Amino acid sequence: MSSQDTLESALGDLERLESEGLAALGAADSPEAVEAARIEYLGQKSGRLKAAQERLRTLEPSGKRAYGQRFNGVKQALEAALEEARTRLERRAVAADALDVTLPGSRPRLGHRHPLTQTADELIDLFGRFGFSVARGPEVEDTRHNFDALNIPPVHPARDPLDNFYLSESTMLRSQTSTVQIRVMEAQPPPVRVIAIGRVYRPDTVDATHSFMFHQVEGLMVDRGVTMADLKTVLRLFARSYLGQDVKIRFRPSFFPFTEPSVEVDMLWHGGDRWVEMGGAGMVDPNVLRAVGYDPEEVTGFAFGLGIERLCMRRHGIDDIRLLYQGDVRFLEQF
Ligand code: FA5
């Protein structure tokens, strides 16, 4: 009778072990809690399952079989519950790393075009409306395009190594976009009506209106009967369209080897008490037309080259050219 009781109470203990173990593993909410439950129930040294297994020895032989079967069932149930608890935590860790679609979104920070690029795009648009298409030329130029074909002879002071970035005796970083005039005329017969926009390089001392690298917009129009009046009209129209109807510009007689006559174009700076040079211009010199195989008796032309930085500065009230190259977002954001 007493061995029967022992089996009964042993089976009862197994039952409790199972339900408590399943509850503990089911409730374990962290890797630490799962591990603690594992040690308590399935621990090899002093786990409760181990103790239940040892109890087998104390039972009457007649009860061993029933107890052993039940024990195996409990063991399998607890091992399965441990496995399940581990999988559950793993899944939750993966989910925590993944995108939480309930969080408020963070807006990507969109940039915009640099003010100089904006200016260049507007120039292309404006001159496009005057019938000018866009031409391009290389920044690494040969001295023939930068000087010779522009009627600048080898002895001319503009070719001084101190005033240019030479790469070799016959190649250089172009010092002006006038090079593109030559490239365009070499490539096509008249009539021509193009602008060229790009970087130019000069070892100038940097100050509020000078940089060693800057941008120019070159304009060239060659056709029958083109006159200085056309040049002045186009530049005035352009200045009013880009800088505002009230902008004041003036033309001063000047000299460029590749134009005759030549002028310098100034704009009244913001604040209104100072003239700043916007560019040079003039009627294409007959020598230049001849050098590219055009007949100066047939066609005439005008050309101009304007500093894009200064146009951009005048338009936006920027007082120092260096601001355009510093990449300071607080400055750039304003345009
Ligand atoms: C020229 O470069 C001539 N090629 C312009 C030209 C074209 C004349 C076609 C006739 C026919 P100039 O060196 O003056 O000219 O430069 C033109 C403009 O570039 C200047 O008026 C100024 O606006 C700008 N510029 C000149 N040097 C710098 C500099 N270091 N930094 C910023 N802008 C400059």
Side-chain angles (χ1 to χ4, degrees), residues 255-267:
F255 174 79
F256 294 100
F258 39 95
T259 48
E260 178 62 33
S262 302
V263 290
E264 215 107 45
V265 193
D266 299 334
M267 51 191 163

Side-chain angles (χ1 to χ4, degrees), residues 176 178 202 204 210-211 214 216 218 277-280 305 307 310:
Q176 50 184 350
S178 299
R202 293 179 195 177
D204 286 353
H210 290 85
S211 169
F214 58 99
Q216 288 187 334
E218 191 82 11
E277 192 191 304
M278 170 166 112
R310 295 195 191 166

Side-chain angles (χ1 to χ4, degrees), residues 13-25:
D13 285 351
L14 265 187
E15 214 67 48
R16 210 170 316 119
L17 169 60
E18 182 179 53
S19 62
E20 286 174 12
L22 291 179
L25 286 164

Side-chain angles (χ1 to χ4, degrees), residues 45 58-59 63-64 67 73 91 96 118 186 274-275:
K45 276 193 203 138
T58 68
L59 292 176
K64 283 189 178 177
Y67 185 82
R91 282 216 194 94
Q118 292 177 29
E186 281 174 340
R274 184 159 71 102
W275 292 95

Side-chain angles (χ1 to χ4, degrees), residues 54-132:
E54 273 155 14
R55 193 164 176 183
L56 187 67
R57 278 191 269 123
T58 68
L59 292 176
E60 291 287 314
S62 59
K64 283 189 178 177
R65 192 182 154 82
Y67 185 82
Q69 272 177 358
R70 187 69 192 106
F71 171 83
N72 283 336
V74 172
K75 184 171 182 240
Q76 274 167 21
L78 290 180
E79 281 170 354
L82 173 66
E83 198 50 43
E84 203 186 291
R86 285 178 170 157
T87 314
R88 187 178 67 237
L89 288 183
E90 233 163 67
R91 282 216 194 94
R92 199 189 306 159
V94 171
D97 281 346
L99 180 72
D100 181 351
V101 292
T102 65
L103 283 175
S106 55
R107 204 175 271 281
R109 207 168 135 165
L110 278 188
H112 61 66
R113 288 168 306 148
H114 190 278
L116 284 177
T117 311
Q118 292 177 29
T119 302
D121 289 347
E122 279 183 70
L123 295 179
I124 290 171
D125 184 51
L126 266 176
F127 280 109
R129 282 189 249 158
F130 300 157
F132 288 76

Side-chain angles (χ1 to χ4, degrees), residues 26 75 100 115 165 292 335:
K75 184 171 182 240
D100 181 351
F165 289 112
V292 295
F335 307 98

